[in-house]
Amino acid sequence: MKAIKLASVFAVSAVAAAVSTTTIAAEPVFSGYAGVEFVSDSNGTDELSGTKEFELEVNVDTGVVFAELEIATDGEDEGTKIGMEKLYVKQGAVKFGRFDGTVATGSFFGMDEYYGGVDIVTSADNDTDNTGIRYEVSPELTVALEATNAAGTEDGEIGFALSYVADLGAFKAGISGGAVGDANAVNVGVQTVSGPATVSLNYGSGASGANGETDVELMTASVSVAPSEALTLTLEFSSDMEAENDGTYFVGEYAAGDLIYYVKNYAGDLGSELTKVGVKAEF
């Protein structure tokens, strides 16, 4: 059976719909940040960089087609990365095309610095993050068909995902998940706000790989406190329970005028231990 590149099919469909439908052209919305940052790494290498601290997002919404283009520096001299993050068609409660993420992780709340939930991943890190058809049954419930790309001799596969997130007043809670082939994922999350503090708890489990041969189990807990309008302090603890690796992430941000001063610290065995100190401006 000839492999069908599903992502390309949906992307072409989105562009075709945009061209064939008469709409009023929307003004693009620009956002991003620029700054300078000093990084002290536990491996003994320190660096002051202004070439990595730039990102520009361009969002265009015609009412029928939504597009999000990301432009960022890659750390090299005059090096630039350009990516089409999202490109999808909107028709009432239905959206279809390219998405940056999966409905299956919709209930994972909080900072999510290490993990954004358990994804639906088959072989060669092939996931359903980019291609899908979504239907918003209600503001709380979204169901979707999601697809992987063709990989080598392996055909693209179509799976199913859903997300249910309810605001219960005192707290927000949700469950989401999905499956494609033998890969599957389930995520649950709870978040509450009390005064200046926001507390989030998340848990996800599933199986990845072409035959679902790799078990995945992740957990995160984060608390963010805003003592004032200018100052925000956040601490996250994350655990890869299958690999028995843990890590913490701390960030403090202080806004003064047009500038945001920050310090970030990564610790544990989830990744490189490092500290970042920087200043940036957002636009």
Side-chain angles (χ1 to χ4, degrees):
M1 179 178 177
K2 184 177 180 180
I4 299 174
K5 293 187 177 180
L6 294 165
S8 300
V9 172
F10 281 114
V12 171
S13 299
V15 174
V19 173
S20 63
T21 305
T22 302
T23 60
I24 299 174
E27 291 292 331
V29 177
F30 298 88
S31 63
Y33 62 86
V36 65
E37 180 177 84
F38 177 77
V39 179
S40 179
D41 201 312
S42 61
N43 63 14
T45 59
D46 298 337
E47 179 184 28
L48 179 65
S49 172
T51 62
K52 299 176 183 177
E53 283 51 66
F54 173 82
E55 181 177 286
L56 168 65
E57 283 192 354
V58 184
N59 294 329
V60 179
D61 190 346
T62 70
V64 176
V65 174
F66 177 85
E68 180 180 295
L69 178 68
E70 182 181 80
I71 304 170
T73 54
D74 61 7
E76 300 298 327
D77 185 23
E78 300 184 13
T80 303
K81 298 182 295 184
I82 300 176
M84 180 61 72
E85 297 291 306
K86 301 176 184 177
L87 181 60
Y88 59 81
V89 176
K90 304 186 295 181
Q91 290 290 295
V94 177
K95 298 177 182 178
F96 59 90
R98 173 187 172 87
F99 300 93
D100 182 23
T102 170
V103 170
T105 59
S107 66
F108 223 74
F109 305 136
M111 177 187 263
D112 306 333
E113 178 64 22
Y114 288 107
Y115 303 122
V118 178
D119 214 336
I120 311 174
V121 183
T122 59
S123 58
D125 293 327
N126 194 8
D127 57 37
T128 64
D129 279 8
N130 293 332
T131 307
I133 304 172
R134 300 180 176 182
Y135 177 66
E136 189 177 277
V137 180
S138 68
E140 297 81 17
L141 177 62
T142 299
V143 297
L145 294 176
E146 297 185 350
T148 61
N149 295 325
T153 60
E154 183 181 321
D155 290 342
E157 294 186 275
I158 299 176
F160 175 77
L162 64 82
S163 173
Y164 182 82
V165 177
D167 190 340
L168 303 175
F171 64 94
K172 184 168 61 173
I175 182 169
S176 59
V180 58
D182 292 321
N184 60 80
V186 176
N187 296 280
V188 294
V190 179
Q191 185 177 76
T192 184
V193 178
S194 178
T198 300
V199 179
S200 305
L201 299 173
N202 301 288
Y203 173 79
S205 66
S208 64
N211 301 310
E213 67 274 12
T214 304
D215 292 331
V216 183
E217 190 174 12
L218 309 176
M219 185 275 288
T220 73
S222 68
V223 56
S224 180
V225 180
S228 68
E229 290 186 4
L231 178 63
T232 303
L233 305 173
T234 305
L235 178 65
E236 177 180 322
F237 171 80
S238 294
S239 176
D240 182 338
M241 302 172 75
E242 282 293 325
E244 298 183 350
N245 290 333
D246 302 322
T248 59
Y249 177 74
F250 169 79
V251 56
E253 289 190 341
Y254 183 79
D258 296 326
L259 301 179
I260 299 173
Y261 300 87
Y262 62 88
V263 56
K264 302 178 182 181
N265 176 261
Y266 296 78
D269 46 20
L270 287 178
S272 298
E273 293 191 342
L274 51 85
T275 299
K276 300 180 179 181
V277 179
V279 57
K280 63 182 179 180
E282 297 180 339
F283 58 90

